[in-house]
Amino acid sequence: MNSPISKAMHRYNHLCSEIDALYHSMSLRLGLSDSAMIVLYTLCSIGNSCPLQDIRRLSGLPKQTVNSAIRKLEAQGALYLEQATPKSKNICLTKAGEQLAGQTAKRIMQAENELFAAWPQEDVQKYLELTERFLRDLQKKAEQLQTES
């Protein structure tokens, strides 16, 4: 029986799953849920404050998941929301949140940065170019998909 997926795609999916599992494991080891880690990570990658909609857009998480993670981090005193405009809010780290981010998300960022710094620069560029190409090509294919009734 032939598989509907190529060996290369199977390997790619396996690698992505392994990477996701590793990030999950790191989040748990550092005492955070995946969604809380992603919110902190995204916030730290932008700065200590940013529009809530940017967290939603850049994290890739569903709106409700982001909101739940924010409520939990807010209850822990790690962040707070402030009204930016009548229709938008900013998410901001507290001092406790900066400390939490330093013990969690920023440690992961440091490990990632160290990995890329150890790779030859041309390998980093090629990896990023190919990943972006895969994303753009898959987006085009996704636009062509139609749901069957």
Side-chain angles (χ1 to χ4, degrees):
M1 181 163 90
N2 289 338
S3 173
I5 191 168
S6 70
K7 286 183 180 186
M9 200 66 235
H10 179 77
R11 182 172 178 217
Y12 175 82
N13 287 336
H14 177 74
L15 291 170
C16 287
S17 294
E18 289 291 315
I19 291 169
D20 288 346
L22 185 55
Y23 277 106
H24 172 73
S25 175
M26 287 189 290
S27 294
L28 293 180
R29 281 186 205 160
L30 295 171
L32 291 177
S33 67
D34 292 342
S35 55
M37 180 65 81
I38 291 169
V39 167
L40 276 180
Y41 185 104
T42 305
L43 183 57
C44 289
S45 71
I46 297 170
N48 287 353
S49 173
C50 74
L52 178 56
Q53 68 184 28
D54 286 359
I55 296 291
R56 290 182 182 138
R57 182 177 50 83
L58 295 171
S59 71
L61 295 173
K63 183 178 179 177
Q64 185 56 44
T65 303
V66 170
N67 290 343
S68 295
I70 287 172
R71 279 195 302 275
K72 184 176 179 182
L73 289 165
E74 202 173 16
Q76 293 173 351
L79 54 83
Y80 63 95
L81 294 171
E82 66 181 11
Q83 202 70 41
T85 68
K87 292 186 176 185
S88 68
K89 293 181 181 180
N90 283 340
I91 182 171
C92 308
L93 284 177
T94 63
K95 289 287 184 196
E98 288 177 27
Q99 198 170 22
L100 177 64
Q103 296 166 347
T104 57
K106 289 183 179 181
R107 290 177 66 193
I108 291 175
M109 291 173 159
Q110 181 180 355
E112 294 167 331
N113 286 332
E114 288 171 3
L115 289 175
F116 268 6
W119 288 10
Q121 203 47 227
E122 55 273 2
D123 286 356
V124 173
Q125 288 307 312
K126 190 65 169 174
Y127 177 77
L128 294 174
E129 288 169 10
L130 289 172
T131 302
E132 185 172 2
R133 179 177 166 192
F134 182 86
L135 172 63
R136 300 292 173 236
D137 289 350
L138 189 58
Q139 286 172 330
K140 288 176 188 171
K141 293 288 186 186
E143 291 171 8
Q144 296 170 3
L145 293 177
Q146 293 181 349
T147 43
E148 296 178 17
S149 301

